[in-house]
Amino acid sequence: MSIDLKQFHQTFFEESLEGLDVMEQSLLQVQNEDGDNPELINTIFRAAHSIKGGSGTFGFADIAEFTHLLETLLDEARDGKRTLDTEAIDLLLKSTDCLRAMVAGHMADAPAAANITDELAAGFKKLLAQAPGAAGAPQAAPMPSSTPSESSSTRVWNISFIPNRDILLSGNEPARIFRELAELGECLALADESQLPELNLLTPDECFLQWQLWLRTAAAEADIREVFEWVIDDCTLTVRQAADAEWPGEDAQADTPVRAQNNSEQSAVNEVTAPAQPAAAQATDAQAKATSPAASPPQGPKKAAPAAEPAQAVASPQSSSIRVGIDKVDSLINLVGELVITQSMLSELGNDFTMDRVDRLNNGLEQLMQNTRELQESVMRIRMLPISFAFNRFPRMIRDLSQKTGKQVELKLSGEQTELDKTVMEQISDPLVHLVRNAVDHGLEPPAEREQAGKAATGNLHLNAFHQGGNIVIEISDDGRGINGERVLQKAIEKGLVPEGTELSQQQIFDLIFEPGFSTAATVSDISGRGVGMDVVKRNIKSLGGRIEVISAQGKGSTFRVHLPLTLAILDGQLVRVGGETYVIPLVTIVESLQMQPDSINYVSGNIPMYRLREDNVPLVAMNQLFDVETDPTAVDNQLLVVVEADGQKLGLRIDDLLAQQQVVIKSLESNYKRIEGVSGATILGDGSVALILDVTGIMNLALSQRGSNPRAA
């Protein structure tokens, strides 16, 4: 069979990871409802079953085998034989982590070591060996064996399986179905080759065979039909209970006319399953032709051979994709249609243009501009994802942290549907994890301490996201002990971060917690306390063009507020001119622009210019000197000042002229040239010229370092 199943691997990985997310969230909900919610348990089971089925189809036997253990436990819970208690939920949650690691390993073409599941598998077997806790449950439910025991309830079933010709194109293989069916009991498959065309008319991606399957099992009809769940829309299926006497004899098996050696389908089936049926290898040619692979002794998932070639580097953890709603795609197509109509109108106008048609030209250009803007916005919306993708990990994290710290935490999520660019989403996830971990470890008090302070024993942690002024704001708030400013300042003095006797504002004191290695934790735990995290948080947020601010009141709690741009691809910028060069200043960093007044300029510490701006003294930076650009020979009182702010500090940029405000497409300077301090990227303007996009924080550091000043002292 020539179908390359690798083309479906990436889809399988994505769907598996989504299924694991669903399992994890549903398990947490089940725990909150004391393990008794049939619909949630069914949801978890379906997710596990889909992962098992897909992994078996695509040859990831280790995942299929491990998921089979989960499925067995969940099946008992689904049938009401067992209640999912804390122990079972703990085990299942750990299993979702393990499955994620296994999926990631296959994505990177580096499957996890075989022993990664041993401990969890032993846990499942131990749990399944225990008597289920539900009332009226049967005694100790042993792990289901791949060979069901013969009992008086064993029945014979006849299954007519007529797959559609194109079933192989969907990635489904009859051999996989037969293997799974054989797990239920003794299985015999007789192939019908009557529809086979002549050899020269065979096509490798069409299935011409049909099967009559015989199954001797104690399983229910529903379990048999469930095996065909994935292909139910791609076949004609009939299941009927038969008499024992109907079981085909050896003669009937041998007489079954199957040309297994001269058609591609049967060859493929034999090839796929040959390692899983050593007994068949010793059978006669006639028997091999007459029986399908499922006729071999029932095989467990562990013994099943991969159904496809070994996975190669078809995907890597870095590769990613995005699912887009059909409404967004339809909107995009409609806009492209409008663009084509406008383009046709302008082309026709250009073919026979006269000055009396200038108005039509202007109208056409205006329409083109509008279409382009709407197209841009529509394309950008495709990359937008709800922040729930980042928030969904926190219920599980809070549960684990609560168990580790002994603290009671109630998590509240708001604004989960707030949309954010996918790239920003991926890069902000880790900083959010640090902030949440710190809030639980440092912010919230233990229950006894909270009650002593007159608070409820359960602490509150609130994650909120909302749009504000073209940016997205994410707040992490707790009602814990708050930040002790005096203690933070004293610790900073001890570490030499600030000179003793320095007077800092409350915001500047709070900013000290983002200094590398800074921590006020009395003890170091595996959650936090080494002071390696908050500095990374701030650095990562700054690299996204965002900022973070801290609001805290001792005894009442803290709020960490993260401001982020909606996207990293397009920037709202202010164009400014310095000499003959044009620069772009991000609008989000601009406080105000004004005409400079010579008498407001003062010099401190020798020759450092400061501008008196109402109650503040703002350091001045001459852009022409910073970038070594020839500037206009203009008197100071004719120059303009753009006041920008970053990290809680203001800086005045002296420029020659303010130009337009516009959205600019960011081009990476680092990947196309090299990193330059004070410049975050470049863009191409409407006239084709290139303008540098300023990194305000970088300019601030560059200017202050050139003066040899301590940034904080300044």
Side-chain angles (χ1 to χ4, degrees):
M1 182 58 61
S2 61
I3 291 181
D4 184 8
L5 290 179
K6 289 183 291 186
Q7 62 183 307
F8 304 114
H9 284 186
Q10 184 60 31
T11 302
F12 165 72
F13 294 143
E14 292 172 1
E15 291 183 352
S16 296
L17 293 174
E18 290 176 3
L20 289 170
D21 289 342
V22 170
M23 287 178 63
E24 186 175 275
Q25 293 162 24
S26 300
L27 284 168
L28 294 173
Q29 293 183 51
V30 168
Q31 185 181 36
N32 294 334
E33 300 180 18
D34 298 327
D36 186 20
N37 187 320
E39 184 55 38
L40 284 175
I41 293 174
N42 277 331
T43 300
I44 300 166
F45 181 86
R46 284 195 295 269
H49 186 70
S50 296
I51 293 171
K52 175 189 167 185
S55 54
T57 299
F58 298 119
F60 305 123
D62 54 341
I63 298 179
E65 180 182 4
F66 185 67
T67 315
H68 182 72
L69 295 173
L70 279 74
E71 198 181 57
T72 304
L73 180 63
L74 291 167
D75 196 32
E76 290 190 359
R78 191 175 62 153
D79 293 342
K81 299 176 182 176
R82 181 182 296 275
T83 300
L84 292 183
D85 56 13
T86 303
E87 181 185 4
I89 290 177
D90 279 344
L91 197 56
L92 289 168
L93 285 173
K94 289 178 182 175
S95 300
T96 60
D97 297 337
C98 181
L99 283 169
R100 280 198 188 91
M102 295 170 80
V103 171
H106 283 290
M107 290 175 72
D109 197 23
N115 60 359
I116 186 173
T117 60
D118 287 352
E119 184 180 349
L120 291 172
F124 276 111
K125 291 175 181 177
K126 180 182 176 183
L127 191 62
L128 288 167
Q130 297 172 1
Q139 290 300 313
M143 279 288 294
S145 169
S146 58
T147 305
S149 59
E150 296 289 342
S151 68
S152 58
S153 61
T154 299
R155 291 170 292 180
V156 172
W157 296 87
N158 173 239
I159 305 160
S160 173
F161 176 52
I162 306 175
N164 295 344
R165 288 276 178 88
D166 59 354
I167 190 173
L168 301 174
L169 296 176
S170 63
N172 289 296
E173 288 193 32
R176 180 194 63 79
I177 299 172
F178 300 162
R179 281 201 305 272
E180 192 167 346
L181 199 62
E183 294 178 13
L184 298 178
E186 182 183 0
C187 182
L188 176 66
L190 304 179
D192 178 1
E193 58 132 16
S194 59
Q195 302 298 317
L196 275 176
E198 295 299 323
L199 182 61
N200 59 339
L201 298 177
L202 277 175
T203 51
D205 52 1
E206 287 189 88
C207 180
F208 296 96
L209 293 179
Q210 304 173 2
W211 284 271
Q212 287 295 318
L213 300 160
W214 294 88
L215 180 66
R216 183 176 284 122
T217 179
E221 181 178 345
D223 295 330
I224 298 172
R225 290 186 178 276
E226 189 176 306
V227 173
F228 296 88
E229 188 176 31
W230 279 52
V231 296
I232 196 63
D233 295 329
D234 299 316
C235 70
T236 300
L237 182 70
T238 304
V239 180
R240 70 173 180 89
Q241 187 174 346
D244 287 349
E246 294 184 62
W247 185 272
E250 293 184 358
D251 291 342
Q253 299 176 28
D255 291 342
T256 302
V258 175
R259 292 181 299 189
Q261 295 181 345
N262 61 357
N263 72 77
S264 56
E265 292 86 349
Q266 189 64 34
S267 297
V269 171
N270 287 339
E271 177 184 307
V272 165
T273 58
Q277 47 176 341
Q282 301 175 9
T284 63
D285 291 344
Q287 289 172 329
K289 294 176 182 177
T291 58
S292 84
S296 62
Q299 303 292 327
K302 187 174 183 178
K303 296 177 181 178
E309 296 177 359
Q312 297 179 4
V314 295
S316 67
Q318 292 73 32
S319 64
S320 61
S321 60
I322 189 169
R323 293 195 175 191
V324 180
I326 192 67
D327 57 327
K328 292 183 177 179
V329 176
D330 288 343
S331 172
L332 196 59
I333 292 173
N334 289 336
L335 286 171
V336 170
E338 293 292 327
L339 199 61
V340 170
I341 293 172
T342 306
Q343 183 266 337
S344 299
M345 181 187 72
L346 289 173
S347 295
E348 182 182 352
L349 196 62
N351 290 336
D352 188 21
F353 183 73
T354 56
M355 289 307 294
D356 60 345
R357 306 178 76 178
V358 169
D359 289 343
R360 287 191 60 189
L361 177 62
N362 288 333
N363 291 337
L365 291 174
E366 188 174 339
Q367 185 66 37
L368 181 64
M369 186 171 63
Q370 182 177 345
N371 290 340
T372 305
R373 187 186 305 114
E374 291 179 357
L375 187 62
Q376 171 197 322
E377 292 173 354
S378 184
V379 169
M380 296 307 298
R381 278 200 297 273
I382 285 180
R383 291 186 54 86
M384 305 299 274
L385 295 174
I387 201 167
S388 57
F389 281 86
F391 280 4
N392 283 344
R393 67 167 61 181
F394 293 117
R396 167 74 187 282
M397 179 186 295
I398 293 299
R399 176 187 183 274
D400 293 346
L401 290 176
S402 297
Q403 290 181 343
K404 279 186 178 179
T405 61
K407 297 178 180 179
Q408 301 172 16
V409 186
E410 181 175 345
L411 176 65
K412 180 182 178 183
L413 302 177
S414 302
E416 298 103 309
Q417 296 307 312
T418 306
E419 291 192 326
L420 185 64
D421 185 277
K422 182 175 184 290
T423 304
V424 180
M425 179 95 66
E426 292 172 345
Q427 296 187 33
I428 197 59
S429 293
D430 287 342
L432 289 181
V433 167
H434 279 289
L435 292 173
V436 169
R437 291 169 67 91
N438 272 281
V440 174
D441 197 31
H442 293 310
L444 296 176
E445 313 95 327
E449 185 179 334
R450 289 182 63 87
E451 290 178 340
Q452 193 174 10
K455 298 180 179 178
T458 301
N460 294 299
L461 184 63
H462 185 195
L463 268 67
N464 185 25
F466 54 92
H467 286 134
Q468 185 181 70
N471 292 317
I472 185 171
V473 180
I474 304 172
E475 289 183 342
I476 301 96
S477 306
D478 66 73
D479 64 347
R481 57 172 68 95
I483 298 175
N484 186 332
E486 293 182 5
R487 188 176 171 194
V488 170
L489 181 58
Q490 185 59 39
K491 197 75 176 181
I493 293 173
E494 291 175 7
K495 287 180 171 290
L497 297 175
V498 294
E500 190 165 1
T502 302
E503 292 187 5
L504 298 177
S505 67
Q506 187 179 54
Q507 188 60 51
Q508 288 175 316
I509 293 174
F510 290 159
D511 285 344
L512 290 170
I513 65 176
F514 296 108
E515 292 294 326
F518 184 87
S519 176
T520 58
T523 58
V524 174
S525 68
D526 60 346
I527 299 175
S528 59
R530 296 186 186 277
V532 289
M534 296 300 279
D535 61 322
V536 178
V537 167
K538 187 172 184 177
R539 188 165 64 245
N540 288 353
I541 291 173
K542 285 174 62 178
S543 69
L544 291 170
R547 60 188 174 89
I548 182 170
E549 59 178 317
V550 184
I551 304 166
S552 183
Q554 199 166 355
K556 295 183 178 179
S558 303
T559 296
F560 289 80
R561 187 171 294 155
V562 180
H563 299 257
L564 293 168
L566 287 178
T567 177
L568 300 180
I570 293 181
L571 174 84
D572 288 319
Q574 169 69 59
L575 274 58
V576 300
R577 183 179 64 81
V578 179
E581 300 293 332
T582 301
Y583 298 92
V584 180
I585 303 175
L587 271 183
V588 70
T589 64
I590 297 178
V591 178
E592 61 179 297
S593 304
L594 63 150
Q595 187 85 34
M596 291 186 63
Q597 302 297 325
D599 54 0
S600 295
I601 299 176
N602 301 303
Y603 292 87
V604 297
S605 301
N607 61 348
I608 298 178
M610 307 288 285
Y611 192 85
R612 185 68 179 174
L613 184 64
R614 294 181 286 277
E615 302 300 324
D616 288 340
N617 285 310
V618 179
L620 286 177
V621 172
M623 293 287 291
N624 63 310
Q625 295 177 4
L626 195 64
F627 288 104
D628 194 21
V629 176
E630 290 288 339
T631 186
D632 294 345
T634 309
V636 171
D637 54 359
N638 285 330
Q639 281 195 316
L640 298 175
L641 184 68
V642 178
V643 181
V644 294
E645 184 174 12
D647 296 340
Q649 298 183 66
K650 292 179 180 175
L651 191 70
L653 304 179
R654 293 170 62 169
I655 62 170
D656 291 337
D657 197 6
L658 281 172
L659 304 177
Q661 291 181 7
Q662 69 179 65
Q663 288 188 327
V664 296
V665 179
I666 302 172
K667 303 289 185 184
S668 171
L669 199 62
E670 192 169 352
S671 59
N672 292 301
Y673 178 52
K674 66 179 183 180
R675 176 175 173 77
I676 298 178
E677 184 73 17
V679 177
S680 62
T683 189
I684 300 174
L685 301 177
D687 61 359
S689 62
V690 175
L692 297 179
I693 302 172
L694 302 185
D695 171 20
V696 171
T697 303
I699 288 180
M700 199 170 287
N701 294 335
L702 188 63
L704 294 174
S705 64
Q706 286 181 355
R707 295 170 182 173
S709 302
N710 184 324
R712 194 160 299 284

